[in-house]
Amino acid sequence: MSRLIVVSNRVAPITEGQPTAGGLAAGVMDALKEKGGIWFGWSGEIVPAGAAGEAREQALGPIRLFTVDLSRRDYDEYYRGFANDTLWPTLHYQTALARFDWGEFAGYRRVNALFAKAIAALAAPEDIVWAHDYHLLCLAEAMREAGCANRMGLFLHTPFPAPQVLMTMPAHAELMRSLCQFDLIGFQTDIDRAAFADYLVREAGARQGRGQALHVFGREIRTGVYPIGVDVAEVRAQALAPARDAAQLRASMGGRRLLISVDRLDYSKGLRQRFAAFERFLEDYPSARGDATLLQIAPPSRSDVQTYREIRRELEAEAGRINGRFAELDWMPLRYLNRGFARAQLMPLYAVAQIGLVTPLRDGMNLVAKEFVAAQDPQDPGVLVLSQFAGAARELTAALIVNPFDMTGIARALDRGLGMQRGERMERHADLLRVMRRNSLARWRDRFAADLAGRKQGIVPVQ
Ligand code: ADQ
């Protein structure tokens, strides 16, 4: 029987008997548990050059976790360099923030090859390889070069940009040729899939095949749309469990209204624009002063990348300025928390808020938007204000959809959301839940795994 081999940059930190941290990790774990399988990734350790690349094994029930260490050079070129300083901004349409270096691209390919070599040593010919995300776009090519004929699929968690945006990255042709060594490439939305196909048709002479297949570079690849979801029942159960932080937050609000935003500290999440929109809201709707508070939770991420350090400094200054301008003796408009929360504490916080404010400039999906909806009380739900440029907006059309660059538009949506009658809130919430129950985390996982294994699946529309 074929096993599933999941490959991602990092293997989620897992301890036996403990619940896994994020929904995604839990979803992947479930898939592995069902079939038994392997999860492969970087250990998070940086070691001297000679000691890098050795795979270490840890058994976790029916799952085997394999990790490798990286050298400083590997880390700088592959992770910090090409993946996070070139690919991440380019995939999120932030071309002005992208920095390109051919040496780093070579380093990225070298680490993909290092992964491939270690996986090739573990994989039986019938095993199926499921790679995740923008760190591993060259993995299939490296595995083919290592002599593996396995079925291989990649799910891209980020957006896929319009061809003209991708082409600002000098190695686009090499990267796309390499990526097309996968058998199945999955995207979050139809827009991402269409952009990918558009590039291949225009720039590489691809022909459309049957369904969503493409003939390119002398082979046939399949593509598909697999919107990632959350486990609605689990999120609601977590939101309802007693939690100290949520009780404290509720008490501190004293009957005033709460807007909540939760993000990794990342320029793609639109935090600067969001702070500005909240300021505009306080300017344009004076009755909100002394009443509405925005709680922004944003733990630092990738803090050894320069642009991430800059955004952190900038946001701290902006939060201070806005609070200085509007705060009253007994009311602080913006609470900015520079730290993460455990899931068990975070889900109940969503349930305290009247508005979920999710305004990324670009986002593959954005699970926070879905978690916020799932955490709400269906009898008295909060309102989701959602960026049109989050993948989630393709499904969550009953949210108040905004343009994250339009301060006035966001301010108006906040006013509308806070004033919305319960009947309309319940109706919109029921709509959102219906879509989310259908496109659940389990369905995302099962559809991708089944398509990769080549089993027949009906084409199911996204909504
Ligand atoms: P991310 O960019 O990390 O993920 P997102 O999907 O919003 O973005 O969040 C992932 C998870 O991290 C969520 O479960 C959330 O609860 C948690 N999280 C975020 N901020 C947190 C905080 N401050 N404290 C604690 N937990 C926090 C990438 C892509 C997304 C895509 C996902 C999954 O960038 O577009 O939705 O992968 O495919």
Side-chain angles (χ1 to χ4, degrees), residues 140-169:
E141 181 186 47
M143 289 197 59
R144 306 276 181 231
E145 279 164 7
C148 293
N150 296 62
R151 245 171 228 262
M152 292 180 222
L154 177 102
F155 180 76
L156 186 66
H157 290 259
T158 68
F160 192 92
Q164 291 291 311
V165 172
L166 182 69
M167 287 164 69
T168 59
M169 201 275 287

Side-chain angles (χ1 to χ4, degrees), residues 88 157 188 228 262-264 269 297-299 339-341 343 346-347 350 363-368 371:
W88 179 269
H157 290 259
Q188 300 270 26
I228 193 166
V262 177
D263 311 81
R264 275 186 309 99
K269 303 290 183 184
I297 297 176
R339 67 179 180 93
F341 280 83
R343 234 176 138 68
L346 187 60
M347 302 302 129
Y350 290 134
D363 217 331
M365 177 53 65
N366 196 297
L367 290 177
V368 169
E371 289 165 354

Side-chain angles (χ1 to χ4, degrees), residues 11-14 20-33 39 63 228 367 441 444:
V11 169
I14 297 156
T20 43
L24 175 57
V28 170
M29 290 294 283
D30 285 347
L32 287 167
K33 266 186 208 144
W39 192 348
I63 306 171
I228 193 166
L367 290 177
L441 182 65
W444 165 78

Side-chain angles (χ1 to χ4, degrees), residues 57-229:
E57 181 177 358
Q58 186 195 340
L60 193 78
I63 306 171
R64 294 160 72 198
L65 302 177
F66 282 89
T67 52
V68 288
D69 303 332
L70 295 182
S71 70
R72 167 62 55 188
R73 182 171 165 222
D74 289 339
Y75 174 81
D76 283 346
E77 295 179 349
Y78 150 77
Y79 181 78
R80 202 163 65 98
F82 188 70
N84 283 321
D85 231 3
T86 307
L87 270 182
W88 179 269
T90 306
L91 295 170
H92 289 85
Y93 289 72
Q94 298 281 344
T95 52
L97 295 180
R99 189 184 51 70
F100 177 78
D101 180 272
W102 283 103
E104 288 180 350
F105 179 53
Y108 175 90
R109 295 184 105 156
R110 186 180 67 244
V111 172
N112 273 238
L114 182 140
F115 274 36
K117 198 167 142 235
I119 298 163
L122 303 167
E126 65 278 11
D127 289 345
I128 292 171
V129 177
W130 181 2
H132 288 261
D133 227 358
Y134 64 101
H135 310 91
L136 299 170
L137 304 185
C138 297
L139 185 77
E141 181 186 47
M143 289 197 59
R144 306 276 181 231
E145 279 164 7
C148 293
N150 296 62
R151 245 171 228 262
M152 292 180 222
L154 177 102
F155 180 76
L156 186 66
H157 290 259
T158 68
F160 192 92
Q164 291 291 311
V165 172
L166 182 69
M167 287 164 69
T168 59
M169 201 275 287
H172 62 92
E174 291 83 348
L175 186 73
M176 288 296 276
R177 178 180 281 271
S178 181
L179 176 56
C180 289
Q181 290 301 313
F182 281 100
D183 301 301
L184 173 66
I185 304 174
F187 300 92
Q188 300 270 26
T189 71
D190 54 338
I191 294 178
D192 303 307
R193 198 207 77 84
F196 174 78
D198 194 19
Y199 175 98
L200 290 178
V201 169
R202 284 169 199 265
E203 304 301 325
R207 280 182 305 104
Q208 302 278 356
R210 284 198 323 133
Q212 299 193 324
L214 290 160
H215 294 272
V216 67
F217 303 127
R219 56 196 313 275
E220 185 189 57
I221 57 172
R222 286 176 301 144
T223 65
V225 177
Y226 308 87
I228 193 166

